[in-house]
Amino acid sequence: MKNNDLPDFDKGVNGLLPAIAQDRHSGEVLMVAYMNRHAFNETVRTGFAVYYSRSKNRLWPKGETSGHYQRVREILVDCDADTILLKVDQVGAACHQGYKSCFFRKWTPDGPETVDKRLIDPNEIYGEN
Amino acid sequence: MKNNDLPDFDKGVNGLLPAIAQDRHSGEVLMVAYMNRHAFNETVRTGFAVYYSRSKNRLWPKGETSGHYQRVREILVDCDADTILLKVDQVGAACHQGYKSCFFRKWTPDGPETVDKRLIDPNEIYGEN
């Protein structure tokens, strides 16, 4: 792999850039997570989305617990080289709450409104706890 | 407007959360910028995307210079309440480089590849300089 001038991880807070996962067929925005250079390189190497978890402070291969992997088909980078867009094939549900997309709530002046249906019971993914 | 538990701006770095603008018809992801609470409230109040510019350190009504406004038709918030998704009608080009979307470059092992056509000469938008 040749040197590549993008993404520019030096622009990120603590070397982390936001990465959007988008369903490559429907165009649905599934989630946003963060990548550092190592996560990005692992994504390229494996062909599956690998993020950096800011809560676990380690690489987070998406689907490691749930089995809901994201096969990465295309990687786009924005004009400022500080945001990543992954076109993916999502296995199962992107959201840990069991929705296809993490963006299942609409803002309204009267409070959030759920606009999507759960695909999967989260207890089936992660076990009761 | 009632109190609303989302988005949660306390989760953002310096109170800023990433906001994705998506073409509401084509599903194309147009850009990512940042909002603080004030920018979000101005977006809701005006119906047009207002971001917070991290370079100018002030509110940035998208299109203020270019005329390329974003009419906001729907606002979605993710499960963690720390990312905003705007479904918009984009006037002209979202990207200051004259492309419809800021994500006009594909990452490849051999370097970036432009995958979109310019809609507009940036000099026509911002003047030669």
mmCIF file of all heavy atoms in Angstrom, chain A residues 2 4-6 18 20 22 27 32 34 44 74-79 82 102-103 105-109 112, chain B residues 2 4-6 18 20 22 27 32 34 44 54 74-79 102-103 105-109 112:
data_model
loop_
_atom_site.group_PDB
_atom_site.id
_atom_site.type_symbol
_atom_site.label_atom_id
_atom_site.label_comp_id
_atom_site.label_asym_id
_atom_site.label_seq_id
_atom_site.Cartn_x
_atom_site.Cartn_y
_atom_site.Cartn_z
ATOM 1 N N LYS A 2 0.650 2.112 -0.950
ATOM 2 C CA LYS A 2 1.443 3.351 -1.013
ATOM 3 C C LYS A 2 1.021 4.334 0.074
ATOM 4 O O LYS A 2 -0.066 4.260 0.614
ATOM 5 C CB LYS A 2 1.210 4.048 -2.358
ATOM 6 C CG LYS A 2 1.927 3.413 -3.522
ATOM 7 C CD LYS A 2 1.844 4.341 -4.721
ATOM 8 C CE LYS A 2 1.963 3.560 -6.022
ATOM 9 N NZ LYS A 2 1.607 4.350 -7.187
ATOM 10 N N ASN A 4 -0.596 7.534 1.462
ATOM 11 C CA ASN A 4 -1.848 8.078 0.998
ATOM 12 C C ASN A 4 -2.071 9.353 1.794
ATOM 13 O O ASN A 4 -1.908 9.359 2.993
ATOM 14 C CB ASN A 4 -2.942 7.036 1.291
ATOM 15 C CG ASN A 4 -4.118 7.181 0.371
ATOM 16 O OD1 ASN A 4 -4.544 8.295 0.110
ATOM 17 N ND2 ASN A 4 -4.629 6.076 -0.110
ATOM 18 N N ASP A 5 -2.439 10.429 1.141
ATOM 19 C CA ASP A 5 -2.559 11.693 1.866
ATOM 20 C C ASP A 5 -3.909 11.819 2.567
ATOM 21 O O ASP A 5 -4.216 12.877 3.118
ATOM 22 C CB ASP A 5 -2.332 12.880 0.933
ATOM 23 C CG ASP A 5 -3.478 13.066 -0.038
ATOM 24 O OD1 ASP A 5 -4.208 12.088 -0.293
ATOM 25 O OD2 ASP A 5 -3.640 14.192 -0.542
ATOM 26 N N LEU A 6 -4.705 10.788 2.519
ATOM 27 C CA LEU A 6 -5.977 10.863 3.221
ATOM 28 C C LEU A 6 -6.381 9.489 3.716
ATOM 29 O O LEU A 6 -5.980 8.484 3.137
ATOM 30 C CB LEU A 6 -7.059 11.483 2.332
ATOM 31 C CG LEU A 6 -7.320 10.886 0.937
ATOM 32 C CD1 LEU A 6 -8.293 9.730 0.979
ATOM 33 C CD2 LEU A 6 -7.843 12.007 0.055
ATOM 34 N N PRO A 18 -14.347 10.944 12.752
ATOM 35 C CA PRO A 18 -15.643 10.287 12.639
ATOM 36 C C PRO A 18 -15.738 9.479 11.349
ATOM 37 O O PRO A 18 -15.239 9.902 10.295
ATOM 38 C CB PRO A 18 -16.648 11.442 12.634
ATOM 39 C CG PRO A 18 -15.879 12.658 12.288
ATOM 40 C CD PRO A 18 -14.441 12.408 12.653
ATOM 41 N N ILE A 20 -18.669 7.421 9.119
ATOM 42 C CA ILE A 20 -20.081 7.133 8.901
ATOM 43 C C ILE A 20 -20.185 5.798 8.195
ATOM 44 O O ILE A 20 -19.491 5.573 7.201
ATOM 45 C CB ILE A 20 -20.713 8.204 7.984
ATOM 46 C CG1 ILE A 20 -20.508 9.595 8.553
ATOM 47 C CG2 ILE A 20 -22.192 7.911 7.754
ATOM 48 C CD1 ILE A 20 -20.773 10.696 7.508
ATOM 49 N N GLN A 22 -22.718 3.707 5.938
ATOM 50 C CA GLN A 22 -23.932 3.872 5.132
ATOM 51 C C GLN A 22 -24.221 2.572 4.393
ATOM 52 O O GLN A 22 -23.302 1.982 3.796
ATOM 53 C CB GLN A 22 -23.717 5.016 4.127
ATOM 54 C CG GLN A 22 -24.949 5.320 3.276
ATOM 55 C CD GLN A 22 -24.720 6.445 2.279
ATOM 56 O OE1 GLN A 22 -23.604 6.656 1.818
ATOM 57 N NE2 GLN A 22 -25.777 7.156 1.934
ATOM 58 N N GLY A 27 -28.771 3.318 0.946
ATOM 59 C CA GLY A 27 -28.321 4.675 1.247
ATOM 60 C C GLY A 27 -28.592 5.081 2.690
ATOM 61 O O GLY A 27 -28.237 6.190 3.098
ATOM 62 N N VAL A 32 -22.531 6.263 13.270
ATOM 63 C CA VAL A 32 -21.263 6.990 13.236
ATOM 64 C C VAL A 32 -20.422 6.483 14.394
ATOM 65 O O VAL A 32 -20.907 6.366 15.520
ATOM 66 C CB VAL A 32 -21.476 8.512 13.365
ATOM 67 C CG1 VAL A 32 -20.154 9.235 13.573
ATOM 68 C CG2 VAL A 32 -22.179 9.048 12.122
ATOM 69 N N TYR A 34 -15.847 6.076 15.509
ATOM 70 C CA TYR A 34 -14.579 6.791 15.323
ATOM 71 C C TYR A 34 -13.478 5.827 14.930
ATOM 72 O O TYR A 34 -13.500 4.647 15.297
ATOM 73 C CB TYR A 34 -14.232 7.572 16.597
ATOM 74 C CG TYR A 34 -15.193 8.737 16.752
ATOM 75 C CD1 TYR A 34 -16.470 8.537 17.286
ATOM 76 C CD2 TYR A 34 -14.873 9.992 16.273
ATOM 77 C CE1 TYR A 34 -17.383 9.593 17.360
ATOM 78 C CE2 TYR A 34 -15.776 11.046 16.344
ATOM 79 C CZ TYR A 34 -17.024 10.833 16.893
ATOM 80 O OH TYR A 34 -17.929 11.861 16.931
ATOM 81 N N VAL A 44 -9.093 -1.627 6.299
ATOM 82 C CA VAL A 44 -8.612 -1.877 4.937
ATOM 83 C C VAL A 44 -8.080 -3.310 4.819
ATOM 84 O O VAL A 44 -8.386 -4.024 3.866
ATOM 85 C CB VAL A 44 -7.514 -0.858 4.564
ATOM 86 C CG1 VAL A 44 -6.793 -1.284 3.292
ATOM 87 C CG2 VAL A 44 -8.121 0.536 4.412
ATOM 88 N N GLU A 74 -16.679 0.201 -0.021
ATOM 89 C CA GLU A 74 -16.063 1.413 -0.572
ATOM 90 C C GLU A 74 -15.769 2.344 0.589
ATOM 91 O O GLU A 74 -16.525 2.399 1.550
ATOM 92 C CB GLU A 74 -17.019 2.079 -1.570
ATOM 93 C CG GLU A 74 -16.364 3.103 -2.460
ATOM 94 C CD GLU A 74 -17.304 3.589 -3.574
ATOM 95 O OE1 GLU A 74 -18.526 3.722 -3.338
ATOM 96 O OE2 GLU A 74 -16.806 3.849 -4.672
ATOM 97 N N ILE A 75 -14.669 3.084 0.469
ATOM 98 C CA ILE A 75 -14.300 4.059 1.485
ATOM 99 C C ILE A 75 -14.150 5.409 0.799
ATOM 100 O O ILE A 75 -13.359 5.549 -0.143
ATOM 101 C CB ILE A 75 -12.971 3.693 2.179
ATOM 102 C CG1 ILE A 75 -13.077 2.323 2.855
ATOM 103 C CG2 ILE A 75 -12.586 4.766 3.187
ATOM 104 C CD1 ILE A 75 -11.748 1.833 3.450
ATOM 105 N N LEU A 76 -14.911 6.387 1.270
ATOM 106 C CA LEU A 76 -14.818 7.736 0.732
ATOM 107 C C LEU A 76 -14.305 8.666 1.835
ATOM 108 O O LEU A 76 -14.501 8.391 3.028
ATOM 109 C CB LEU A 76 -16.191 8.200 0.235
ATOM 110 C CG LEU A 76 -16.742 7.342 -0.908
ATOM 111 C CD1 LEU A 76 -18.255 7.474 -1.015
ATOM 112 C CD2 LEU A 76 -16.102 7.718 -2.241
ATOM 113 N N VAL A 77 -13.652 9.721 1.423
ATOM 114 C CA VAL A 77 -13.088 10.680 2.372
ATOM 115 C C VAL A 77 -13.505 12.070 1.929
ATOM 116 O O VAL A 77 -13.570 12.342 0.720
ATOM 117 C CB VAL A 77 -11.550 10.543 2.427
ATOM 118 C CG1 VAL A 77 -10.949 11.523 3.418
ATOM 119 C CG2 VAL A 77 -11.157 9.117 2.800
ATOM 120 N N ASP A 78 -13.804 12.933 2.878
ATOM 121 C CA ASP A 78 -14.339 14.245 2.484
ATOM 122 C C ASP A 78 -13.238 15.226 2.091
ATOM 123 O O ASP A 78 -12.046 14.928 2.187
ATOM 124 C CB ASP A 78 -15.278 14.796 3.557
ATOM 125 C CG ASP A 78 -14.547 15.361 4.750
ATOM 126 O OD1 ASP A 78 -13.345 15.047 4.917
ATOM 127 O OD2 ASP A 78 -15.159 16.118 5.514
ATOM 128 N N CYS A 79 -13.661 16.392 1.643
ATOM 129 C CA CYS A 79 -12.750 17.389 1.074
ATOM 130 C C CYS A 79 -11.669 17.818 2.062
ATOM 131 O O CYS A 79 -10.545 18.120 1.665
ATOM 132 C CB CYS A 79 -13.536 18.608 0.594
ATOM 133 S SG CYS A 79 -14.706 19.237 1.821
ATOM 134 N N ASP A 82 -11.032 14.860 6.854
ATOM 135 C CA ASP A 82 -11.196 14.606 8.283
ATOM 136 C C ASP A 82 -12.494 13.872 8.630
ATOM 137 O O ASP A 82 -12.885 13.824 9.796
ATOM 138 C CB ASP A 82 -11.069 15.904 9.093
ATOM 139 C CG ASP A 82 -12.147 16.927 8.757
ATOM 140 O OD1 ASP A 82 -13.007 16.641 7.895
ATOM 141 O OD2 ASP A 82 -12.126 18.020 9.352
ATOM 142 N N CYS A 102 -28.773 3.304 13.858
ATOM 143 C CA CYS A 102 -28.772 4.001 15.149
ATOM 144 C C CYS A 102 -29.649 5.253 15.113
ATOM 145 O O CYS A 102 -30.015 5.778 16.162
ATOM 146 C CB CYS A 102 -27.341 4.393 15.519
ATOM 147 S SG CYS A 102 -26.279 2.977 15.869
ATOM 148 N N PHE A 103 -29.986 5.732 13.917
ATOM 149 C CA PHE A 103 -30.778 6.965 13.798
ATOM 150 C C PHE A 103 -32.262 6.602 13.695
ATOM 151 O O PHE A 103 -32.901 6.836 12.672
ATOM 152 C CB PHE A 103 -30.308 7.779 12.593
ATOM 153 C CG PHE A 103 -28.909 8.286 12.739
ATOM 154 C CD1 PHE A 103 -27.835 7.541 12.273
ATOM 155 C CD2 PHE A 103 -28.651 9.491 13.370
ATOM 156 C CE1 PHE A 103 -26.533 7.997 12.429
ATOM 157 C CE2 PHE A 103 -27.350 9.951 13.533
ATOM 158 C CZ PHE A 103 -26.286 9.201 13.057
ATOM 159 N N ARG A 105 -34.579 7.669 15.853
ATOM 160 C CA ARG A 105 -35.420 8.654 16.529
ATOM 161 C C ARG A 105 -35.383 9.989 15.801
ATOM 162 O O ARG A 105 -34.320 10.492 15.436
ATOM 163 C CB ARG A 105 -34.947 8.870 17.965
ATOM 164 C CG ARG A 105 -35.241 7.688 18.846
ATOM 165 C CD ARG A 105 -34.717 7.919 20.235
ATOM 166 N NE ARG A 105 -33.284 8.175 20.239
ATOM 167 C CZ ARG A 105 -32.589 8.479 21.328
ATOM 168 N NH1 ARG A 105 -33.196 8.597 22.491
ATOM 169 N NH2 ARG A 105 -31.290 8.686 21.248
ATOM 170 N N LYS A 106 -36.554 10.531 15.613
ATOM 171 C CA LYS A 106 -36.711 11.841 14.992
ATOM 172 C C LYS A 106 -36.843 12.878 16.095
ATOM 173 O O LYS A 106 -37.555 12.651 17.084
ATOM 174 C CB LYS A 106 -37.965 11.820 14.115
ATOM 175 C CG LYS A 106 -38.194 13.078 13.319
ATOM 176 C CD LYS A 106 -39.247 12.857 12.256
ATOM 177 C CE LYS A 106 -40.628 13.192 12.772
ATOM 178 N NZ LYS A 106 -41.626 13.244 11.674
ATOM 179 N N TRP A 107 -36.161 14.000 15.913
ATOM 180 C CA TRP A 107 -36.361 15.119 16.820
ATOM 181 C C TRP A 107 -37.671 15.801 16.465
ATOM 182 O O TRP A 107 -37.951 16.033 15.284
ATOM 183 C CB TRP A 107 -35.205 16.115 16.672
ATOM 184 C CG TRP A 107 -35.322 17.258 17.636
ATOM 185 C CD1 TRP A 107 -34.755 17.350 18.877
ATOM 186 C CD2 TRP A 107 -36.060 18.467 17.442
ATOM 187 N NE1 TRP A 107 -35.109 18.528 19.458
ATOM 188 C CE2 TRP A 107 -35.908 19.241 18.608
ATOM 189 C CE3 TRP A 107 -36.837 18.972 16.411
ATOM 190 C CZ2 TRP A 107 -36.502 20.493 18.764
ATOM 191 C CZ3 TRP A 107 -37.439 20.209 16.560
ATOM 192 C CH2 TRP A 107 -37.259 20.960 17.723
ATOM 193 N N THR A 108 -38.476 16.094 17.490
ATOM 194 C CA THR A 108 -39.643 16.943 17.294
ATOM 195 C C THR A 108 -39.670 17.949 18.443
ATOM 196 O O THR A 108 -39.041 17.719 19.495
ATOM 197 C CB THR A 108 -40.983 16.157 17.291
ATOM 198 O OG1 THR A 108 -41.411 15.971 18.646
ATOM 199 C CG2 THR A 108 -40.869 14.815 16.591
ATOM 200 N N PRO A 109 -40.381 19.062 18.270
ATOM 201 C CA PRO A 109 -40.435 20.056 19.350
ATOM 202 C C PRO A 109 -41.004 19.473 20.637
ATOM 203 O O PRO A 109 -40.745 19.987 21.719
ATOM 204 C CB PRO A 109 -41.365 21.143 18.793
ATOM 205 C CG PRO A 109 -41.432 20.915 17.331
ATOM 206 C CD PRO A 109 -41.145 19.469 17.081
ATOM 207 N N PRO A 112 -38.541 13.261 21.426
ATOM 208 C CA PRO A 112 -38.150 12.296 20.401
ATOM 209 C C PRO A 112 -39.293 11.363 20.006
ATOM 210 O O PRO A 112 -40.133 11.011 20.831
ATOM 211 C CB PRO A 112 -37.020 11.508 21.056
ATOM 212 C CG PRO A 112 -37.151 11.750 22.513
ATOM 213 C CD PRO A 112 -37.811 13.075 22.684
ATOM 214 N N LYS B 2 -40.736 22.206 24.136
ATOM 215 C CA LYS B 2 -40.483 21.557 25.426
ATOM 216 C C LYS B 2 -39.019 21.171 25.565
ATOM 217 O O LYS B 2 -38.293 21.073 24.591
ATOM 218 C CB LYS B 2 -41.313 20.271 25.529
ATOM 219 C CG LYS B 2 -42.777 20.484 25.791
ATOM 220 C CD LYS B 2 -43.411 19.142 26.142
ATOM 221 C CE LYS B 2 -44.892 19.142 25.781
ATOM 222 N NZ LYS B 2 -45.461 17.803 25.850
ATOM 223 N N ASN B 4 -36.059 18.739 25.775
ATOM 224 C CA ASN B 4 -35.897 17.573 24.926
ATOM 225 C C ASN B 4 -34.624 16.885 25.384
ATOM 226 O O ASN B 4 -33.611 17.541 25.572
ATOM 227 C CB ASN B 4 -35.770 18.068 23.477
ATOM 228 C CG ASN B 4 -36.207 17.043 22.482
ATOM 229 O OD1 ASN B 4 -35.885 15.876 22.644
ATOM 230 N ND2 ASN B 4 -36.934 17.461 21.464
ATOM 231 N N ASP B 5 -34.655 15.583 25.573
ATOM 232 C CA ASP B 5 -33.462 14.914 26.098
ATOM 233 C C ASP B 5 -32.434 14.623 25.015
ATOM 234 O O ASP B 5 -31.438 13.957 25.278
ATOM 235 C CB ASP B 5 -33.849 13.639 26.843
ATOM 236 C CG ASP B 5 -34.280 12.542 25.895
ATOM 237 O OD1 ASP B 5 -34.714 12.873 24.777
ATOM 238 O OD2 ASP B 5 -34.191 11.362 26.270
ATOM 239 N N LEU B 6 -32.684 15.093 23.817
ATOM 240 C CA LEU B 6 -31.686 14.869 22.773
ATOM 241 C C LEU B 6 -31.721 16.003 21.769
ATOM 242 O O LEU B 6 -32.759 16.646 21.613
ATOM 243 C CB LEU B 6 -31.915 13.514 22.098
ATOM 244 C CG LEU B 6 -33.287 13.183 21.523
ATOM 245 C CD1 LEU B 6 -33.456 13.693 20.099
ATOM 246 C CD2 LEU B 6 -33.473 11.671 21.571
ATOM 247 N N PRO B 18 -21.076 16.069 15.949
ATOM 248 C CA PRO B 18 -21.083 15.987 14.485
ATOM 249 C C PRO B 18 -22.519 15.933 13.951
ATOM 250 O O PRO B 18 -23.395 15.305 14.556
ATOM 251 C CB PRO B 18 -20.336 14.683 14.186
ATOM 252 C CG PRO B 18 -20.374 13.894 15.444
ATOM 253 C CD PRO B 18 -20.537 14.854 16.582
ATOM 254 N N ILE B 20 -24.486 15.219 10.298
ATOM 255 C CA ILE B 20 -24.405 14.759 8.915
ATOM 256 C C ILE B 20 -25.540 15.395 8.136
ATOM 257 O O ILE B 20 -26.681 15.373 8.586
ATOM 258 C CB ILE B 20 -24.589 13.227 8.854
ATOM 259 C CG1 ILE B 20 -23.588 12.510 9.743
ATOM 260 C CG2 ILE B 20 -24.508 12.723 7.412
ATOM 261 C CD1 ILE B 20 -23.979 11.049 10.010
ATOM 262 N N GLN B 22 -27.675 14.878 4.811
ATOM 263 C CA GLN B 22 -27.963 13.853 3.799
ATOM 264 C C GLN B 22 -29.061 14.376 2.881
ATOM 265 O O GLN B 22 -30.069 14.905 3.364
ATOM 266 C CB GLN B 22 -28.428 12.559 4.496
ATOM 267 C CG GLN B 22 -28.712 11.414 3.534
ATOM 268 C CD GLN B 22 -29.188 10.144 4.253
ATOM 269 O OE1 GLN B 22 -29.781 10.213 5.307
ATOM 270 N NE2 GLN B 22 -28.911 8.993 3.656
ATOM 271 N N GLY B 27 -30.500 10.238 -0.862
ATOM 272 C CA GLY B 27 -29.803 9.521 0.203
ATOM 273 C C GLY B 27 -28.317 9.807 0.239
ATOM 274 O O GLY B 27 -27.604 9.298 1.114
ATOM 275 N N VAL B 32 -20.280 16.561 6.564
ATOM 276 C CA VAL B 32 -20.368 16.506 8.015
ATOM 277 C C VAL B 32 -19.791 17.809 8.552
ATOM 278 O O VAL B 32 -18.715 18.241 8.115
ATOM 279 C CB VAL B 32 -19.570 15.307 8.588
ATOM 280 C CG1 VAL B 32 -19.459 15.400 10.110
ATOM 281 C CG2 VAL B 32 -20.250 14.005 8.197
ATOM 282 N N TYR B 34 -20.237 20.545 12.383
ATOM 283 C CA TYR B 34 -20.464 20.426 13.821
ATOM 284 C C TYR B 34 -21.502 21.432 14.291
ATOM 285 O O TYR B 34 -21.652 22.511 13.704
ATOM 286 C CB TYR B 34 -19.130 20.591 14.564
ATOM 287 C CG TYR B 34 -18.260 19.373 14.305
ATOM 288 C CD1 TYR B 34 -17.512 19.276 13.132
ATOM 289 C CD2 TYR B 34 -18.273 18.300 15.173
ATOM 290 C CE1 TYR B 34 -16.767 18.123 12.854
ATOM 291 C CE2 TYR B 34 -17.532 17.148 14.904
ATOM 292 C CZ TYR B 34 -16.788 17.076 13.742
ATOM 293 O OH TYR B 34 -16.080 15.934 13.464
ATOM 294 N N VAL B 44 -33.274 24.715 14.061
ATOM 295 C CA VAL B 44 -34.699 24.440 14.294
ATOM 296 C C VAL B 44 -35.525 25.711 14.039
ATOM 297 O O VAL B 44 -36.575 25.666 13.389
ATOM 298 C CB VAL B 44 -34.904 23.921 15.734
ATOM 299 C CG1 VAL B 44 -36.393 23.903 16.091
ATOM 300 C CG2 VAL B 44 -34.302 22.533 15.885
ATOM 301 N N ARG B 54 -15.593 25.499 13.398
ATOM 302 C CA ARG B 54 -14.460 25.356 14.317
ATOM 303 C C ARG B 54 -13.278 26.200 13.865
ATOM 304 O O ARG B 54 -12.402 26.513 14.661
ATOM 305 C CB ARG B 54 -14.056 23.880 14.401
ATOM 306 C CG ARG B 54 -15.161 23.005 15.021
ATOM 307 C CD ARG B 54 -14.787 21.541 15.013
ATOM 308 N NE ARG B 54 -14.548 21.068 13.660
ATOM 309 C CZ ARG B 54 -14.017 19.894 13.350
ATOM 310 N NH1 ARG B 54 -13.665 19.059 14.311
ATOM 311 N NH2 ARG B 54 -13.839 19.536 12.092
ATOM 312 N N GLU B 74 -35.942 17.114 8.087
ATOM 313 C CA GLU B 74 -36.103 16.160 9.187
ATOM 314 C C GLU B 74 -34.790 16.115 9.957
ATOM 315 O O GLU B 74 -33.718 16.250 9.369
ATOM 316 C CB GLU B 74 -36.439 14.761 8.638
ATOM 317 C CG GLU B 74 -36.967 13.801 9.671
ATOM 318 C CD GLU B 74 -37.500 12.505 9.047
ATOM 319 O OE1 GLU B 74 -36.925 12.026 8.044
ATOM 320 O OE2 GLU B 74 -38.480 11.967 9.560
ATOM 321 N N ILE B 75 -34.900 15.956 11.264
ATOM 322 C CA ILE B 75 -33.718 15.847 12.120
ATOM 323 C C ILE B 75 -33.807 14.530 12.873
ATOM 324 O O ILE B 75 -34.776 14.282 13.586
ATOM 325 C CB ILE B 75 -33.632 17.009 13.124
ATOM 326 C CG1 ILE B 75 -33.587 18.362 12.397
ATOM 327 C CG2 ILE B 75 -32.425 16.838 14.038
ATOM 328 C CD1 ILE B 75 -33.637 19.562 13.338
ATOM 329 N N LEU B 76 -32.780 13.702 12.710
ATOM 330 C CA LEU B 76 -32.719 12.433 13.426
ATOM 331 C C LEU B 76 -31.531 12.477 14.375
ATOM 332 O O LEU B 76 -30.545 13.199 14.138
ATOM 333 C CB LEU B 76 -32.582 11.272 12.434
ATOM 334 C CG LEU B 76 -33.784 11.145 11.476
ATOM 335 C CD1 LEU B 76 -33.397 10.393 10.217
ATOM 336 C CD2 LEU B 76 -34.949 10.446 12.154
ATOM 337 N N VAL B 77 -31.639 11.726 15.450
ATOM 338 C CA VAL B 77 -30.573 11.686 16.452
ATOM 339 C C VAL B 77 -30.273 10.229 16.752
ATOM 340 O O VAL B 77 -31.189 9.400 16.784
ATOM 341 C CB VAL B 77 -31.001 12.449 17.724
ATOM 342 C CG1 VAL B 77 -29.901 12.416 18.772
ATOM 343 C CG2 VAL B 77 -31.361 13.892 17.382
ATOM 344 N N ASP B 78 -29.008 9.906 16.970
ATOM 345 C CA ASP B 78 -28.674 8.486 17.115
ATOM 346 C C ASP B 78 -28.909 7.987 18.541
ATOM 347 O O ASP B 78 -29.280 8.747 19.433
ATOM 348 C CB ASP B 78 -27.245 8.205 16.618
ATOM 349 C CG ASP B 78 -26.185 8.661 17.595
ATOM 350 O OD1 ASP B 78 -26.493 9.475 18.490
ATOM 351 O OD2 ASP B 78 -25.041 8.200 17.460
ATOM 352 N N CYS B 79 -28.708 6.689 18.731
ATOM 353 C CA CYS B 79 -29.048 6.027 19.994
ATOM 354 C C CYS B 79 -28.295 6.620 21.177
ATOM 355 O O CYS B 79 -28.816 6.661 22.287
ATOM 356 C CB CYS B 79 -28.749 4.526 19.882
ATOM 357 S SG CYS B 79 -27.102 4.159 19.243
ATOM 358 N N CYS B 102 -19.283 16.563 -0.303
ATOM 359 C CA CYS B 102 -17.876 16.673 0.108
ATOM 360 C C CYS B 102 -17.138 15.337 -0.039
ATOM 361 O O CYS B 102 -15.915 15.302 -0.051
ATOM 362 C CB CYS B 102 -17.791 17.142 1.554
ATOM 363 S SG CYS B 102 -18.352 18.839 1.789
ATOM 364 N N PHE B 103 -17.889 14.241 -0.151
ATOM 365 C CA PHE B 103 -17.269 12.916 -0.248
ATOM 366 C C PHE B 103 -17.107 12.538 -1.714
ATOM 367 O O PHE B 103 -17.730 11.593 -2.201
ATOM 368 C CB PHE B 103 -18.123 11.886 0.508
ATOM 369 C CG PHE B 103 -18.169 12.146 1.984
ATOM 370 C CD1 PHE B 103 -19.171 12.938 2.526
ATOM 371 C CD2 PHE B 103 -17.199 11.632 2.830
ATOM 372 C CE1 PHE B 103 -19.203 13.201 3.893
ATOM 373 C CE2 PHE B 103 -17.231 11.892 4.197
ATOM 374 C CZ PHE B 103 -18.244 12.677 4.723
ATOM 375 N N ARG B 105 -14.150 11.825 -3.118
ATOM 376 C CA ARG B 105 -12.939 11.044 -3.329
ATOM 377 C C ARG B 105 -13.036 9.683 -2.676
ATOM 378 O O ARG B 105 -13.437 9.549 -1.525
ATOM 379 C CB ARG B 105 -11.718 11.784 -2.758
ATOM 380 C CG ARG B 105 -11.355 13.014 -3.559
ATOM 381 C CD ARG B 105 -10.200 13.725 -2.929
ATOM 382 N NE ARG B 105 -10.484 14.116 -1.552
ATOM 383 C CZ ARG B 105 -9.617 14.706 -0.751
ATOM 384 N NH1 ARG B 105 -8.387 14.958 -1.176
ATOM 385 N NH2 ARG B 105 -9.954 15.046 0.477
ATOM 386 N N LYS B 106 -12.649 8.706 -3.451
ATOM 387 C CA LYS B 106 -12.608 7.327 -2.964
ATOM 388 C C LYS B 106 -11.194 7.010 -2.520
ATOM 389 O O LYS B 106 -10.221 7.375 -3.200
ATOM 390 C CB LYS B 106 -13.029 6.400 -4.110
ATOM 391 C CG LYS B 106 -13.157 4.953 -3.722
ATOM 392 C CD LYS B 106 -13.882 4.178 -4.799
ATOM 393 C CE LYS B 106 -12.910 3.606 -5.813
ATOM 394 N NZ LYS B 106 -13.583 2.628 -6.699
ATOM 395 N N TRP B 107 -11.085 6.343 -1.389
ATOM 396 C CA TRP B 107 -9.788 5.843 -0.969
ATOM 397 C C TRP B 107 -9.453 4.607 -1.786
ATOM 398 O O TRP B 107 -10.293 3.717 -1.971
ATOM 399 C CB TRP B 107 -9.810 5.479 0.514
ATOM 400 C CG TRP B 107 -8.476 5.020 1.020
ATOM 401 C CD1 TRP B 107 -7.504 5.779 1.598
ATOM 402 C CD2 TRP B 107 -7.959 3.690 0.960
ATOM 403 N NE1 TRP B 107 -6.426 5.013 1.913
ATOM 404 C CE2 TRP B 107 -6.669 3.724 1.531
ATOM 405 C CE3 TRP B 107 -8.453 2.477 0.487
ATOM 406 C CZ2 TRP B 107 -5.873 2.585 1.642
ATOM 407 C CZ3 TRP B 107 -7.649 1.350 0.591
ATOM 408 C CH2 TRP B 107 -6.379 1.407 1.164
ATOM 409 N N THR B 108 -8.220 4.552 -2.306
ATOM 410 C CA THR B 108 -7.715 3.319 -2.918
ATOM 411 C C THR B 108 -6.292 3.100 -2.408
ATOM 412 O O THR B 108 -5.649 4.052 -1.941
ATOM 413 C CB THR B 108 -7.684 3.367 -4.463
ATOM 414 O OG1 THR B 108 -6.455 4.006 -4.870
ATOM 415 C CG2 THR B 108 -8.869 4.119 -5.052
ATOM 416 N N PRO B 109 -5.800 1.871 -2.483
ATOM 417 C CA PRO B 109 -4.430 1.618 -1.995
ATOM 418 C C PRO B 109 -3.395 2.461 -2.731
ATOM 419 O O PRO B 109 -2.304 2.695 -2.217
ATOM 420 C CB PRO B 109 -4.222 0.128 -2.291
ATOM 421 C CG PRO B 109 -5.569 -0.440 -2.543
ATOM 422 C CD PRO B 109 -6.456 0.667 -3.000
ATOM 423 N N PRO B 112 -5.931 8.643 -3.594
ATOM 424 C CA PRO B 112 -7.330 9.034 -3.767
ATOM 425 C C PRO B 112 -7.733 9.105 -5.232
ATOM 426 O O PRO B 112 -6.929 9.432 -6.100
ATOM 427 C CB PRO B 112 -7.394 10.424 -3.121
ATOM 428 C CG PRO B 112 -5.992 10.910 -3.039
ATOM 429 C CD PRO B 112 -5.114 9.709 -2.981
#
